[in-house]
DNA sequence: TATGAATGAGCATTCATTCAT
DNA sequence: AATGAATGAATGCTCATTCAT
């Protein structure tokens, strides 16, 4: 009942969050976590049944914290749209303040070493470059208002990525069905110059 | 001189694409690939110096194909914006037609088994639900026009994800800098059901 | 506090000495050593970081024992020349009593990589140093005429080495039979100062 | 019948001598030798049935050359003792001129299986036989007192071996510098049957 | 003679997990 | 609660050798 300053379980969770954030799941050994906790391997297994369970516990803890913050931020808003907007901002801001947290949540569980991560950077960079190039020229041509096309191209790429991955894992909605919505939201999200500047177009 | 119907190297690449798509990098054994190619393990190592090299070769092949298709689609369009739009559609459509290809490119290199993938589904689902809930209520409240909020919430989530991951790996742009742009594009991409704005629709 | 009858590490060392003596370094598998110790392969690796480390530990143990015996034998003698003579005898006798020990020390394991060659240098250097030290003092004491004791000590060492190796491979002549001859040749090969110096001996 | 300037087999032998001298038997791959000969692996196997056979061919070539030189040197001397002495000198001098040859002969390749050990016996036996023959005849000629010439020849061989190996690994003392000392010790170690020398025995 | 693709047995090392104490 | 010795299945990679061409 009294305040439990810090249980061994919590220390493990903390150490694991750091370890997974630093090195990813596979590269993090149970020995690493035991070491960071000044615990023997056997000691660790008293608190968690497996390394996988530990990883999930770490993820759950991080995810529930983040979800709660997002919900609270939304709850403080008057209109629902403002709430969704606030949730978006809250998540981005929180992750932006804690890079390691972000890494565990978004990448590290699904990564395998620096060589692989570099490859991810390279390949996604290729895709983003194609989009960004189009957007840059759209700006130059006066089709859309000036905007940070790097961020926008990453946003497009991420949106496509997530829609596809969601479809892979859950089977729906089909990409073909999602496409019109995605186009309306993403392409439609770009401001078109006001009428009086259209004269500057060829 | 003659057409090289199918080199052993290509057969390995093909088998590896399937294997990685089915089971992910770690779960795919060199023996699996050798088996699928009717090749001995030693035979495989004659063509590729390591399993990691093979994986990268697979990724490169897929990525360059997809990039080429996207660029070609963009090139067929008259305006740059239409080009970016077309590239987006092409990528989504192509990946949507080949689930396994999508898996290798977007997930499998960075995953570790079905339990982990389920966790990914669960956690990302939580985040998406928060956003979707807000959007649903925004629609009900008449703040925004009716739209498939599942797709939109996934798009938002994906956009945030990618912006964060890009920042993690490349250090820039900072999430705080990206936030306004992201909000403008994502939130601004939603139609407001004001009577006088219908004229702005194509 | 109590006497540590036999640690697992010692059992491994013992088994490894026999295995290396029987089959040489390359032919001895980690599985062999684990088997002889009734230990799993993983169990072995708890005690030694690698097969190479184990080999060096075996060599070190044998070498230090032999060096100690040689030094003790030399210490029991009154004159330096007799001491060097005794050290020579001790090494020869000891190796002659344990063929396997000799095999590990003089033959098995060398010439398979720079790390092994360095070890050879180190161990042979230890032996040579013991002999050379005795010879140096014999010179100082006026027992023998000044001479390049480094070369002489290497010669003694090499002669012993070869007699032993020959016995290992061919079974004859036995070290005990060879000893008197060896002593006469090697020790007798050193010049004694001219007659008028005999007065300086005890 | 015609002069065969350089057969492929000889080129392989040459390359192998260098390779074995540089890296030892195990570390030298068939690929290395094929590479140094600008030959494919398959090409190599046309000329030699196995890597082991190649190694033995290399050793045989080196050993027979060295043996011949030693015998010739002995043959040019008037007395048997001088001949043995000359053989000793010849071996030492020859090995001292070609460090790599010495390395292959004395160190590289042994102690890795019974076939290798048998070869060691054979080759060392050849050398010892040359020396022993000279000593036997020196005894017969009354140059030196009767003694176990097998042991003595092994001692000489071992002394030379060790001085050479020491030089190989540590670079000093140079064989040429060691030679006089070695001669004085080893040759001087043999009793001359002069009547007035019996007083010097203990 | 020579090539080079293919073989396949071999092997050290890793690491999550167990368990007697 | 904790230790640390022990397990054992798992696996990527090596390399001498073969063989169809």
């Amino acid at each position: 009942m009294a305040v439990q300053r810090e249980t061994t379980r919590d220390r493990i969770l903390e150490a694991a969050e750091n370890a997974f954030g630093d090195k990813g799941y596979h590269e993090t050994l149970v020995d690493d976590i035991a070491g960071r906790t000044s615990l023997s391997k056997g000691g660790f297994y008293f608190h968690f049944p497996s390394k996988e369970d530990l990883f999930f516990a770490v993820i759950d803890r991080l995810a529930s914290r983040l979800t709660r913050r997002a919900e609270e931020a939304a709850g403080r808003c008057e209109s629902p749209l403002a709430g969704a907007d606030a949730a978006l901002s809250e998540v981005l801001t929180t992750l932006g303040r804690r890079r390691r947290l972000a890494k565990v949540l978004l990448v590290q569980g699904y990564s395998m070493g620096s060589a692989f991560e570099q490859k991810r950077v390279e390949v996604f960079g290729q895709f983003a470059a194609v989009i960004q190039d189009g957007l840059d020229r759209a700006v130059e041509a006066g089709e859309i208002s000036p905007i940070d096309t790097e961020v926008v191209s990453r946003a497009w790429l991420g949106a496509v990525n997530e829609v596809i991955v969601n479809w892979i894992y859950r089977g729906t909605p089909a990409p073909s069905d999602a496409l019109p919505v995605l186009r309306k939201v993403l392409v439609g999200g770009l401001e078109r110059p006001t009428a009086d500047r259209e004269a500057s177009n060829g």
Side-chain angles (χ1 to χ4, degrees), chain A residues 135 138-140 142-149 152 191-193 197:
Chain A
L135 293 176
V139 169
E140 280 175 38
E143 269 191 303
I144 57 174
S145 299
I147 195 169
D148 185 333
T149 58
V152 176
E191 284 182 5
R192 272 148 196 84
R197 60 145 280 295

Side-chain angles (χ1 to χ4, degrees), chain A residues 13 16-17 20 53-63 104:
Chain A
L13 244 13
E17 185 179 319
F20 288 138
D53 271 86
L54 170 65
F55 181 71
F56 290 159
V58 168
I59 294 290
D60 281 336
R61 204 173 66 144
L62 294 177
V104 176

Side-chain angles (χ1 to χ4, degrees), chain A residues 29-48:
Chain A
L29 308 183
V30 172
D31 269 320
D32 292 336
I33 289 157
R36 290 185 190 227
T37 326
S38 300
L39 210 60
S40 69
K41 239 194 285 206
F44 163 75
Y45 276 95
F46 180 81
H47 296 280
F48 288 90

Side-chain angles (χ1 to χ4, degrees), chain A residues 160-182:
Chain A
V160 169
N161 183 6
E162 177 59 25
V163 167
I164 292 288
V165 169
N166 186 49
W167 161 70
I168 287 172
Y169 286 135
R170 312 211 310 148
T172 175
S176 53
D177 294 334
L179 182 56
V181 182
L182 220 44

Side-chain angles (χ1 to χ4, degrees), chain A residues 88-180:
Chain A
L88 170 71
S89 301
E90 181 63 29
V91 169
L92 192 67
T93 303
T94 301
L95 292 177
R97 267 201 303 268
R98 298 184 59 193
R99 184 190 283 237
R100 190 178 273 153
L101 185 161
K103 222 171 165 185
V104 176
L105 235 36
L106 304 184
V107 185
Q108 284 302 324
Y110 315 100
S111 157
M112 294 124 27
S114 56
F116 292 85
E117 297 181 16
Q118 281 174 28
K119 203 69 195 177
R120 204 263 188 207
V121 169
E122 179 190 328
V123 169
F124 274 61
Q126 280 179 33
F127 295 154
V130 171
I131 299 173
Q132 189 174 357
D133 179 56
L135 293 176
D136 280 339
R137 283 183 291 115
V139 169
E140 280 175 38
E143 269 191 303
I144 57 174
S145 299
I147 195 169
D148 185 333
T149 58
E150 179 176 5
V151 172
V152 176
S153 63
R154 288 288 167 179
W156 282 32
L157 185 57
V160 169
N161 183 6
E162 177 59 25
V163 167
I164 292 288
V165 169
N166 186 49
W167 161 70
I168 287 172
Y169 286 135
R170 312 211 310 148
T172 175
S176 53
D177 294 334
L179 182 56

